[in-house]
Amino acid sequence: NSTNATSWSSSWGGSITQANGITTLTAPTVSSPQTFTLTLTCINSVGTSIQGQAQVTVNPIQQPPTCSLTANPSSINSGQSSTLVWSSNNVTTVTSSWAGNVAVSGSQSVSTTSTTTYTITCTGPGGTTSSSATVTVNVVQVPVCTLSASQTTINQGQSVSLTWNSTNNPTSWNASWGS
């Protein structure tokens, strides 16, 4: 507070303003982390001066963490595997939904029988973020084949008509005739 001051000077390149008896010091923009001392000299109308000091520490800007998680392939059949690949920057810890704490970058093979979303959470001095990847498990249906005969009893030398139907996309058919 410099109520009776008529002039001010400072030891740094900021600005000094006064309004309603309150003096405001605006520090200059500092481009690198450091600790410095601000000194303000207030002089009244008869030349009496007094100094005030304040120490200010400028911390480094904390970059926010970034992370990425992908699954390759992202679509599998039950029993198959997918590879999760992750990377991160500006982190101190990376936690995965499948294995707990993991390295800041890496890969892991996973196998699942149902569609699963995997997540990594990345934490650093600048905060926390996360990334997810989903492995979709395709439902493979077993082919169904039905076979019917037009007659179940015939005499020797007669013929019978066979009819078949298949569903769920069989890829091949094999018929055998036995007694």
Side-chain angles (χ1 to χ4, degrees):
N1 194 343
S2 56
T3 331
N4 296 320
T6 56
S7 65
W8 305 266
S9 65
S10 70
S11 62
W12 45 277
S15 63
I16 302 170
T17 57
Q18 186 176 37
N20 301 324
I22 298 174
T23 304
T24 303
L25 310 173
T26 304
T29 301
V30 179
S31 61
S32 62
Q34 60 181 295
T35 299
F36 58 96
T37 301
L38 304 173
T39 302
L40 176 68
T41 303
C42 298
I43 305 166
N44 66 12
S45 60
V46 292
T48 307
S49 66
I50 189 166
Q51 287 188 335
Q53 291 186 332
Q55 191 172 49
V56 176
T57 299
V58 178
N59 293 321
I61 295 173
Q62 299 298 329
Q63 296 297 322
T66 60
C67 60
S68 170
L69 175 64
T70 58
N72 187 24
S74 61
S75 181
I76 62 173
N77 294 332
S78 181
Q80 292 181 325
S81 62
S82 176
T83 301
L84 302 175
V85 177
W86 68 94
S87 62
S88 60
N89 290 304
N90 305 317
V91 300
T92 52
T93 60
V94 178
T95 305
S96 72
S97 61
W98 67 93
N101 286 343
V102 293
V104 296
S105 63
S107 64
Q108 174 75 48
S109 179
V110 294
S111 182
T112 182
T113 57
S114 62
T115 297
T116 304
T117 298
Y118 298 92
T119 303
I120 58 171
T121 301
C122 302
T123 304
T128 298
T129 191
S130 62
S131 181
S132 297
T134 299
V135 176
T136 302
V137 176
N138 303 314
V139 176
V140 178
Q141 296 180 339
V142 176
V144 175
C145 296
T146 57
L147 177 65
S148 62
S150 61
Q151 299 175 41
T152 57
T153 304
I154 60 170
N155 293 324
Q156 187 175 1
Q158 288 182 315
S159 62
V160 65
S161 294
L162 300 175
T163 305
W164 66 90
N165 187 24
S166 59
T167 58
N168 298 335
N169 303 312
T171 56
S172 64
W173 295 262
N174 185 14
S176 63
W177 310 98
S179 51

